[in-house]
Amino acid sequence: MAENETIEAENVKLCDKFVATFEILGRKWNGLIIEALLNNGAMRFKDLSQTVVKCSDRVLVERLKELEANDLVERRTYDESALIEYALTKKGESMREMMQVVHDWSDEWNTDCGPQEA
């Protein structure tokens, strides 16, 4: 029976859209960046860096560029100042309900986790 299960598993085809979504969300820090922007609205790089504390600035820049390329985050500049902010696009904002489901699942099943250290 185990052999048949292996054969069946080899025939499973994941939807390309599902795979593409998890390639974005599965990247380290992306979920936390999205969560920070969902909770705080538009944020300056410095504030994002202080919120996603264990992510280096170099990696944070890379992840923001990736999220921007995937139309989840927009980089806002202002002519009258040097202010640069990062904000979720409509597409990024649409992840709010999904992220709440992740929170709910985590609250129920990750009982070994203590409070997150800052």
mmCIF file of all heavy atoms in Angstrom, residues 56-99:
data_model
loop_
_atom_site.group_PDB
_atom_site.id
_atom_site.type_symbol
_atom_site.label_atom_id
_atom_site.label_comp_id
_atom_site.label_asym_id
_atom_site.label_seq_id
_atom_site.Cartn_x
_atom_site.Cartn_y
_atom_site.Cartn_z
ATOM 1 N N SER A 56 18.415 41.931 8.126
ATOM 2 C CA SER A 56 19.435 42.945 7.837
ATOM 3 C C SER A 56 18.884 43.963 6.844
ATOM 4 O O SER A 56 17.954 43.677 6.082
ATOM 5 C CB SER A 56 20.691 42.289 7.255
ATOM 6 O OG SER A 56 20.450 41.842 5.935
ATOM 7 N N ASP A 57 19.459 45.153 6.839
ATOM 8 C CA ASP A 57 19.018 46.193 5.911
ATOM 9 C C ASP A 57 19.165 45.750 4.462
ATOM 10 O O ASP A 57 18.306 46.024 3.627
ATOM 11 C CB ASP A 57 19.795 47.494 6.146
ATOM 12 C CG ASP A 57 19.365 48.209 7.422
ATOM 13 O OD1 ASP A 57 18.377 47.782 8.058
ATOM 14 O OD2 ASP A 57 20.026 49.197 7.783
ATOM 15 N N ARG A 58 20.262 45.059 4.160
ATOM 16 C CA ARG A 58 20.492 44.591 2.791
ATOM 17 C C ARG A 58 19.386 43.637 2.347
ATOM 18 O O ARG A 58 18.831 43.766 1.242
ATOM 19 C CB ARG A 58 21.851 43.893 2.693
ATOM 20 C CG ARG A 58 22.192 43.404 1.281
ATOM 21 C CD ARG A 58 23.482 42.594 1.247
ATOM 22 N NE ARG A 58 23.450 41.393 2.048
ATOM 23 C CZ ARG A 58 22.845 40.246 1.676
ATOM 24 N NH1 ARG A 58 22.222 40.168 0.527
ATOM 25 N NH2 ARG A 58 22.888 39.199 2.460
ATOM 26 N N VAL A 59 19.027 42.701 3.199
ATOM 27 C CA VAL A 59 17.977 41.736 2.858
ATOM 28 C C VAL A 59 16.623 42.436 2.802
ATOM 29 O O VAL A 59 15.810 42.148 1.920
ATOM 30 C CB VAL A 59 17.970 40.553 3.852
ATOM 31 C CG1 VAL A 59 16.778 39.638 3.623
ATOM 32 C CG2 VAL A 59 19.273 39.762 3.736
ATOM 33 N N LEU A 60 16.378 43.370 3.700
ATOM 34 C CA LEU A 60 15.119 44.108 3.690
ATOM 35 C C LEU A 60 14.945 44.856 2.367
ATOM 36 O O LEU A 60 13.863 44.831 1.776
ATOM 37 C CB LEU A 60 15.048 45.070 4.878
ATOM 38 C CG LEU A 60 13.760 45.864 5.031
ATOM 39 C CD1 LEU A 60 12.532 44.963 5.119
ATOM 40 C CD2 LEU A 60 13.852 46.774 6.261
ATOM 41 N N VAL A 61 16.005 45.477 1.884
ATOM 42 C CA VAL A 61 15.951 46.164 0.586
ATOM 43 C C VAL A 61 15.607 45.164 -0.523
ATOM 44 O O VAL A 61 14.738 45.428 -1.364
ATOM 45 C CB VAL A 61 17.290 46.878 0.274
ATOM 46 C CG1 VAL A 61 17.355 47.320 -1.177
ATOM 47 C CG2 VAL A 61 17.486 48.065 1.197
ATOM 48 N N GLU A 62 16.255 44.000 -0.521
ATOM 49 C CA GLU A 62 15.985 42.969 -1.536
ATOM 50 C C GLU A 62 14.529 42.523 -1.487
ATOM 51 O O GLU A 62 13.874 42.410 -2.526
ATOM 52 C CB GLU A 62 16.886 41.754 -1.315
ATOM 53 C CG GLU A 62 18.330 41.976 -1.666
ATOM 54 C CD GLU A 62 19.198 40.751 -1.316
ATOM 55 O OE1 GLU A 62 18.644 39.664 -1.027
ATOM 56 O OE2 GLU A 62 20.429 40.898 -1.329
ATOM 57 N N ARG A 63 14.038 42.250 -0.280
ATOM 58 C CA ARG A 63 12.659 41.771 -0.141
ATOM 59 C C ARG A 63 11.654 42.839 -0.567
ATOM 60 O O ARG A 63 10.653 42.532 -1.219
ATOM 61 C CB ARG A 63 12.370 41.321 1.291
ATOM 62 C CG ARG A 63 13.173 40.133 1.753
ATOM 63 C CD ARG A 63 12.914 38.896 0.880
ATOM 64 N NE ARG A 63 13.711 37.782 1.336
ATOM 65 C CZ ARG A 63 14.920 37.481 0.880
ATOM 66 N NH1 ARG A 63 15.466 38.194 -0.078
ATOM 67 N NH2 ARG A 63 15.583 36.442 1.350
ATOM 68 N N LEU A 64 11.902 44.088 -0.215
ATOM 69 C CA LEU A 64 10.997 45.156 -0.634
ATOM 70 C C LEU A 64 10.966 45.279 -2.151
ATOM 71 O O LEU A 64 9.896 45.468 -2.744
ATOM 72 C CB LEU A 64 11.407 46.483 0.014
ATOM 73 C CG LEU A 64 11.077 46.604 1.497
ATOM 74 C CD1 LEU A 64 11.796 47.793 2.108
ATOM 75 C CD2 LEU A 64 9.573 46.696 1.726
ATOM 76 N N LYS A 65 12.114 45.135 -2.794
ATOM 77 C CA LYS A 65 12.156 45.177 -4.267
ATOM 78 C C LYS A 65 11.374 44.015 -4.866
ATOM 79 O O LYS A 65 10.660 44.185 -5.862
ATOM 80 C CB LYS A 65 13.605 45.166 -4.764
ATOM 81 C CG LYS A 65 14.311 46.484 -4.565
ATOM 82 C CD LYS A 65 15.739 46.428 -5.079
ATOM 83 C CE LYS A 65 16.458 47.748 -4.869
ATOM 84 N NZ LYS A 65 17.856 47.701 -5.328
ATOM 85 N N GLU A 66 11.499 42.828 -4.273
ATOM 86 C CA GLU A 66 10.753 41.654 -4.755
ATOM 87 C C GLU A 66 9.251 41.865 -4.574
ATOM 88 O O GLU A 66 8.469 41.569 -5.484
ATOM 89 C CB GLU A 66 11.174 40.398 -3.995
ATOM 90 C CG GLU A 66 12.575 39.939 -4.296
ATOM 91 C CD GLU A 66 13.044 38.840 -3.346
ATOM 92 O OE1 GLU A 66 12.255 38.362 -2.510
ATOM 93 O OE2 GLU A 66 14.228 38.463 -3.445
ATOM 94 N N LEU A 67 8.855 42.356 -3.418
ATOM 95 C CA LEU A 67 7.434 42.592 -3.160
ATOM 96 C C LEU A 67 6.893 43.677 -4.077
ATOM 97 O O LEU A 67 5.745 43.604 -4.544
ATOM 98 C CB LEU A 67 7.220 42.947 -1.691
ATOM 99 C CG LEU A 67 7.488 41.800 -0.708
ATOM 100 C CD1 LEU A 67 7.496 42.311 0.729
ATOM 101 C CD2 LEU A 67 6.473 40.677 -0.881
ATOM 102 N N GLU A 68 7.724 44.660 -4.381
ATOM 103 C CA GLU A 68 7.330 45.705 -5.322
ATOM 104 C C GLU A 68 7.181 45.122 -6.737
ATOM 105 O O GLU A 68 6.208 45.419 -7.435
ATOM 106 C CB GLU A 68 8.368 46.830 -5.314
ATOM 107 C CG GLU A 68 7.948 48.064 -6.050
ATOM 108 C CD GLU A 68 8.962 49.190 -5.935
ATOM 109 O OE1 GLU A 68 10.016 49.038 -5.295
ATOM 110 O OE2 GLU A 68 8.682 50.257 -6.526
ATOM 111 N N ALA A 69 8.103 44.273 -7.140
ATOM 112 C CA ALA A 69 8.045 43.642 -8.462
ATOM 113 C C ALA A 69 6.814 42.746 -8.600
ATOM 114 O O ALA A 69 6.299 42.564 -9.708
ATOM 115 C CB ALA A 69 9.316 42.834 -8.720
ATOM 116 N N ASN A 70 6.330 42.218 -7.482
ATOM 117 C CA ASN A 70 5.135 41.376 -7.489
ATOM 118 C C ASN A 70 3.857 42.174 -7.229
ATOM 119 O O ASN A 70 2.802 41.607 -6.987
ATOM 120 C CB ASN A 70 5.269 40.258 -6.451
ATOM 121 C CG ASN A 70 6.184 39.170 -6.938
ATOM 122 O OD1 ASN A 70 5.826 38.390 -7.810
ATOM 123 N ND2 ASN A 70 7.394 39.109 -6.387
ATOM 124 N N ASP A 71 3.976 43.495 -7.266
ATOM 125 C CA ASP A 71 2.851 44.418 -7.100
ATOM 126 C C ASP A 71 2.134 44.243 -5.764
ATOM 127 O O ASP A 71 0.933 44.419 -5.663
ATOM 128 C CB ASP A 71 1.861 44.262 -8.260
ATOM 129 C CG ASP A 71 0.851 45.399 -8.308
ATOM 130 O OD1 ASP A 71 1.216 46.536 -7.939
ATOM 131 O OD2 ASP A 71 -0.312 45.145 -8.688
ATOM 132 N N LEU A 72 2.893 43.911 -4.716
ATOM 133 C CA LEU A 72 2.333 43.811 -3.371
ATOM 134 C C LEU A 72 2.663 45.046 -2.546
ATOM 135 O O LEU A 72 1.907 45.416 -1.648
ATOM 136 C CB LEU A 72 2.858 42.559 -2.669
ATOM 137 C CG LEU A 72 2.412 41.239 -3.293
ATOM 138 C CD1 LEU A 72 3.190 40.084 -2.694
ATOM 139 C CD2 LEU A 72 0.922 41.044 -3.118
ATOM 140 N N VAL A 73 3.786 45.667 -2.851
ATOM 141 C CA VAL A 73 4.261 46.853 -2.132
ATOM 142 C C VAL A 73 4.587 47.928 -3.147
ATOM 143 O O VAL A 73 5.067 47.638 -4.239
ATOM 144 C CB VAL A 73 5.517 46.499 -1.287
ATOM 145 C CG1 VAL A 73 6.188 47.740 -0.735
ATOM 146 C CG2 VAL A 73 5.159 45.542 -0.157
ATOM 147 N N GLU A 74 4.296 49.180 -2.777
ATOM 148 C CA GLU A 74 4.705 50.299 -3.619
ATOM 149 C C GLU A 74 5.654 51.188 -2.830
ATOM 150 O O GLU A 74 5.527 51.346 -1.620
ATOM 151 C CB GLU A 74 3.502 51.093 -4.116
ATOM 152 C CG GLU A 74 2.737 51.825 -3.048
ATOM 153 C CD GLU A 74 1.580 52.627 -3.617
ATOM 154 O OE1 GLU A 74 1.554 52.896 -4.831
ATOM 155 O OE2 GLU A 74 0.697 52.985 -2.833
ATOM 156 N N ARG A 75 6.625 51.719 -3.543
ATOM 157 C CA ARG A 75 7.595 52.652 -2.968
ATOM 158 C C ARG A 75 7.126 54.046 -3.325
ATOM 159 O O ARG A 75 7.008 54.393 -4.506
ATOM 160 C CB ARG A 75 8.978 52.381 -3.557
ATOM 161 C CG ARG A 75 10.085 53.228 -2.998
ATOM 162 C CD ARG A 75 11.410 52.796 -3.652
ATOM 163 N NE ARG A 75 12.530 53.475 -3.087
ATOM 164 C CZ ARG A 75 13.089 54.580 -3.575
ATOM 165 N NH1 ARG A 75 12.600 55.127 -4.676
ATOM 166 N NH2 ARG A 75 14.127 55.132 -2.990
ATOM 167 N N ARG A 76 6.832 54.842 -2.317
ATOM 168 C CA ARG A 76 6.308 56.189 -2.529
ATOM 169 C C ARG A 76 7.407 57.222 -2.273
ATOM 170 O O ARG A 76 8.050 57.198 -1.236
ATOM 171 C CB ARG A 76 5.154 56.473 -1.580
ATOM 172 C CG ARG A 76 3.965 55.579 -1.781
ATOM 173 C CD ARG A 76 2.907 55.887 -0.766
ATOM 174 N NE ARG A 76 1.740 55.044 -0.938
ATOM 175 C CZ ARG A 76 0.771 54.951 -0.043
ATOM 176 N NH1 ARG A 76 0.821 55.670 1.073
ATOM 177 N NH2 ARG A 76 -0.252 54.158 -0.260
ATOM 178 N N THR A 77 7.586 58.105 -3.231
ATOM 179 C CA THR A 77 8.510 59.224 -3.064
ATOM 180 C C THR A 77 7.705 60.510 -3.185
ATOM 181 O O THR A 77 6.640 60.540 -3.802
ATOM 182 C CB THR A 77 9.623 59.206 -4.129
ATOM 183 O OG1 THR A 77 9.022 59.255 -5.423
ATOM 184 C CG2 THR A 77 10.478 57.953 -4.015
ATOM 185 N N TYR A 78 8.239 61.558 -2.587
ATOM 186 C CA TYR A 78 7.550 62.842 -2.578
ATOM 187 C C TYR A 78 8.497 63.904 -3.117
ATOM 188 O O TYR A 78 9.632 64.017 -2.656
ATOM 189 C CB TYR A 78 7.096 63.189 -1.160
ATOM 190 C CG TYR A 78 6.139 62.151 -0.605
ATOM 191 C CD1 TYR A 78 6.606 61.039 0.106
ATOM 192 C CD2 TYR A 78 4.780 62.266 -0.824
ATOM 193 C CE1 TYR A 78 5.728 60.083 0.586
ATOM 194 C CE2 TYR A 78 3.885 61.314 -0.338
ATOM 195 C CZ TYR A 78 4.374 60.222 0.362
ATOM 196 O OH TYR A 78 3.501 59.276 0.833
ATOM 197 N N ASP A 79 8.021 64.676 -4.101
ATOM 198 C CA ASP A 79 8.840 65.703 -4.736
ATOM 199 C C ASP A 79 9.333 66.752 -3.752
ATOM 200 O O ASP A 79 10.462 67.206 -3.829
ATOM 201 C CB ASP A 79 8.064 66.398 -5.859
ATOM 202 C CG ASP A 79 7.794 65.466 -7.029
ATOM 203 O OD1 ASP A 79 8.583 64.516 -7.217
ATOM 204 O OD2 ASP A 79 6.795 65.690 -7.738
ATOM 205 N N GLU A 80 8.498 67.127 -2.817
ATOM 206 C CA GLU A 80 8.830 68.224 -1.915
ATOM 207 C C GLU A 80 9.759 67.824 -0.774
ATOM 208 O O GLU A 80 10.197 68.665 -0.002
ATOM 209 C CB GLU A 80 7.556 68.868 -1.352
ATOM 210 C CG GLU A 80 6.691 67.954 -0.503
ATOM 211 C CD GLU A 80 5.725 67.071 -1.296
ATOM 212 O OE1 GLU A 80 5.679 67.158 -2.532
ATOM 213 O OE2 GLU A 80 5.030 66.279 -0.650
ATOM 214 N N SER A 81 10.068 66.520 -0.646
ATOM 215 C CA SER A 81 10.965 66.100 0.440
ATOM 216 C C SER A 81 11.721 64.827 0.048
ATOM 217 O O SER A 81 11.451 64.228 -0.983
ATOM 218 C CB SER A 81 10.173 65.854 1.728
ATOM 219 O OG SER A 81 9.454 64.651 1.630
ATOM 220 N N ALA A 82 12.624 64.442 0.899
ATOM 221 C CA ALA A 82 13.396 63.219 0.669
ATOM 222 C C ALA A 82 12.683 61.993 1.249
ATOM 223 O O ALA A 82 13.230 60.899 1.242
ATOM 224 C CB ALA A 82 14.778 63.354 1.301
ATOM 225 N N LEU A 83 11.459 62.185 1.716
ATOM 226 C CA LEU A 83 10.704 61.112 2.339
ATOM 227 C C LEU A 83 10.410 59.990 1.343
ATOM 228 O O LEU A 83 9.948 60.243 0.230
ATOM 229 C CB LEU A 83 9.384 61.661 2.903
ATOM 230 C CG LEU A 83 8.450 60.647 3.537
ATOM 231 C CD1 LEU A 83 9.077 60.059 4.793
ATOM 232 C CD2 LEU A 83 7.107 61.287 3.846
ATOM 233 N N ILE A 84 10.715 58.775 1.763
ATOM 234 C CA ILE A 84 10.372 57.579 0.998
ATOM 235 C C ILE A 84 9.602 56.669 1.933
ATOM 236 O O ILE A 84 10.021 56.427 3.063
ATOM 237 C CB ILE A 84 11.627 56.857 0.477
ATOM 238 C CG1 ILE A 84 12.397 57.755 -0.490
ATOM 239 C CG2 ILE A 84 11.247 55.541 -0.190
ATOM 240 C CD1 ILE A 84 13.738 57.201 -0.906
ATOM 241 N N GLU A 85 8.454 56.202 1.476
ATOM 242 C CA GLU A 85 7.633 55.292 2.258
ATOM 243 C C GLU A 85 7.337 54.042 1.447
ATOM 244 O O GLU A 85 7.362 54.069 0.221
ATOM 245 C CB GLU A 85 6.285 55.933 2.610
ATOM 246 C CG GLU A 85 6.346 57.077 3.562
ATOM 247 C CD GLU A 85 4.965 57.628 3.854
ATOM 248 O OE1 GLU A 85 4.112 57.670 2.938
ATOM 249 O OE2 GLU A 85 4.756 58.026 5.001
ATOM 250 N N TYR A 86 7.046 52.989 2.168
ATOM 251 C CA TYR A 86 6.616 51.741 1.558
ATOM 252 C C TYR A 86 5.206 51.463 2.046
ATOM 253 O O TYR A 86 4.905 51.610 3.232
ATOM 254 C CB TYR A 86 7.548 50.601 1.930
ATOM 255 C CG TYR A 86 8.930 50.798 1.353
ATOM 256 C CD1 TYR A 86 9.909 51.477 2.066
ATOM 257 C CD2 TYR A 86 9.229 50.367 0.073
ATOM 258 C CE1 TYR A 86 11.163 51.693 1.521
ATOM 259 C CE2 TYR A 86 10.481 50.581 -0.482
ATOM 260 C CZ TYR A 86 11.447 51.237 0.250
ATOM 261 O OH TYR A 86 12.678 51.454 -0.297
ATOM 262 N N ALA A 87 4.341 51.088 1.123
ATOM 263 C CA ALA A 87 2.946 50.825 1.468
ATOM 264 C C ALA A 87 2.464 49.627 0.654
ATOM 265 O O ALA A 87 3.014 49.331 -0.420
ATOM 266 C CB ALA A 87 2.080 52.041 1.178
ATOM 267 N N LEU A 88 1.451 48.974 1.168
ATOM 268 C CA LEU A 88 0.855 47.879 0.420
ATOM 269 C C LEU A 88 0.020 48.429 -0.727
ATOM 270 O O LEU A 88 -0.631 49.465 -0.594
ATOM 271 C CB LEU A 88 -0.029 47.034 1.333
ATOM 272 C CG LEU A 88 0.706 46.241 2.398
ATOM 273 C CD1 LEU A 88 -0.293 45.599 3.353
ATOM 274 C CD2 LEU A 88 1.600 45.189 1.786
ATOM 275 N N THR A 89 0.042 47.736 -1.826
ATOM 276 C CA THR A 89 -0.848 48.043 -2.942
ATOM 277 C C THR A 89 -2.217 47.441 -2.621
ATOM 278 O O THR A 89 -2.394 46.758 -1.597
ATOM 279 C CB THR A 89 -0.317 47.414 -4.240
ATOM 280 O OG1 THR A 89 -0.284 45.991 -4.059
ATOM 281 C CG2 THR A 89 1.063 47.941 -4.601
ATOM 282 N N LYS A 90 -3.153 47.627 -3.487
ATOM 283 C CA LYS A 90 -4.472 46.993 -3.319
ATOM 284 C C LYS A 90 -4.307 45.476 -3.263
ATOM 285 O O LYS A 90 -4.942 44.801 -2.457
ATOM 286 C CB LYS A 90 -5.390 47.412 -4.478
ATOM 287 C CG LYS A 90 -6.792 46.905 -4.363
ATOM 288 C CD LYS A 90 -7.655 47.411 -5.502
ATOM 289 C CE LYS A 90 -9.062 46.837 -5.388
ATOM 290 N NZ LYS A 90 -9.924 47.297 -6.478
ATOM 291 N N LYS A 91 -3.445 44.970 -4.105
ATOM 292 C CA LYS A 91 -3.174 43.522 -4.130
ATOM 293 C C LYS A 91 -2.571 43.072 -2.794
ATOM 294 O O LYS A 91 -2.959 42.041 -2.246
ATOM 295 C CB LYS A 91 -2.212 43.214 -5.288
ATOM 296 C CG LYS A 91 -1.868 41.768 -5.484
ATOM 297 C CD LYS A 91 -0.962 41.635 -6.714
ATOM 298 C CE LYS A 91 -0.405 40.255 -6.883
ATOM 299 N NZ LYS A 91 0.488 40.165 -8.053
ATOM 300 N N GLY A 92 -1.633 43.830 -2.263
ATOM 301 C CA GLY A 92 -1.024 43.494 -0.982
ATOM 302 C C GLY A 92 -2.020 43.609 0.151
ATOM 303 O O GLY A 92 -2.072 42.757 1.046
ATOM 304 N N GLU A 93 -2.825 44.654 0.133
ATOM 305 C CA GLU A 93 -3.842 44.864 1.160
ATOM 306 C C GLU A 93 -4.863 43.726 1.161
ATOM 307 O O GLU A 93 -5.409 43.379 2.210
ATOM 308 C CB GLU A 93 -4.530 46.211 0.924
ATOM 309 C CG GLU A 93 -5.484 46.640 1.988
ATOM 310 C CD GLU A 93 -4.845 46.982 3.321
ATOM 311 O OE1 GLU A 93 -3.771 47.590 3.336
ATOM 312 O OE2 GLU A 93 -5.440 46.627 4.358
ATOM 313 N N SER A 94 -5.080 43.123 0.012
ATOM 314 C CA SER A 94 -6.058 42.031 -0.079
ATOM 315 C C SER A 94 -5.604 40.781 0.681
ATOM 316 O O SER A 94 -6.383 39.850 0.853
ATOM 317 C CB SER A 94 -6.342 41.688 -1.550
ATOM 318 O OG SER A 94 -5.236 41.003 -2.122
ATOM 319 N N MET A 95 -4.381 40.772 1.178
ATOM 320 C CA MET A 95 -3.868 39.632 1.937
ATOM 321 C C MET A 95 -4.276 39.700 3.413
ATOM 322 O O MET A 95 -4.004 38.774 4.171
ATOM 323 C CB MET A 95 -2.349 39.575 1.819
ATOM 324 C CG MET A 95 -1.874 39.384 0.403
ATOM 325 S SD MET A 95 -0.093 39.422 0.282
ATOM 326 C CE MET A 95 0.223 37.676 0.428
ATOM 327 N N ARG A 96 -4.949 40.755 3.836
ATOM 328 C CA ARG A 96 -5.302 40.955 5.243
ATOM 329 C C ARG A 96 -6.085 39.764 5.809
ATOM 330 O O ARG A 96 -5.759 39.238 6.870
ATOM 331 C CB ARG A 96 -6.097 42.240 5.416
ATOM 332 C CG ARG A 96 -6.428 42.555 6.871
ATOM 333 C CD ARG A 96 -7.143 43.896 7.013
ATOM 334 N NE ARG A 96 -6.344 45.014 6.557
ATOM 335 C CZ ARG A 96 -5.380 45.600 7.267
ATOM 336 N NH1 ARG A 96 -5.095 45.164 8.473
ATOM 337 N NH2 ARG A 96 -4.710 46.628 6.762
ATOM 338 N N GLU A 97 -7.108 39.337 5.131
ATOM 339 C CA GLU A 97 -7.939 38.238 5.627
ATOM 340 C C GLU A 97 -7.125 36.949 5.723
ATOM 341 O O GLU A 97 -7.240 36.206 6.702
ATOM 342 C CB GLU A 97 -9.153 38.049 4.720
ATOM 343 C CG GLU A 97 -10.145 37.032 5.240
ATOM 344 C CD GLU A 97 -11.378 36.935 4.355
ATOM 345 O OE1 GLU A 97 -11.761 37.930 3.718
ATOM 346 O OE2 GLU A 97 -11.952 35.838 4.321
ATOM 347 N N MET A 98 -6.306 36.694 4.729
ATOM 348 C CA MET A 98 -5.458 35.495 4.748
ATOM 349 C C MET A 98 -4.483 35.540 5.923
ATOM 350 O O MET A 98 -4.293 34.543 6.616
ATOM 351 C CB MET A 98 -4.678 35.374 3.438
ATOM 352 C CG MET A 98 -3.725 34.207 3.414
ATOM 353 S SD MET A 98 -2.584 34.253 2.026
ATOM 354 C CE MET A 98 -1.668 35.726 2.346
ATOM 355 N N MET A 99 -3.904 36.702 6.176
ATOM 356 C CA MET A 99 -2.958 36.822 7.285
ATOM 357 C C MET A 99 -3.677 36.627 8.622
ATOM 358 O O MET A 99 -3.113 36.059 9.550
ATOM 359 C CB MET A 99 -2.244 38.175 7.236
ATOM 360 C CG MET A 99 -1.336 38.347 6.019
ATOM 361 S SD MET A 99 0.014 37.173 5.940
ATOM 362 C CE MET A 99 1.200 37.992 6.991
#
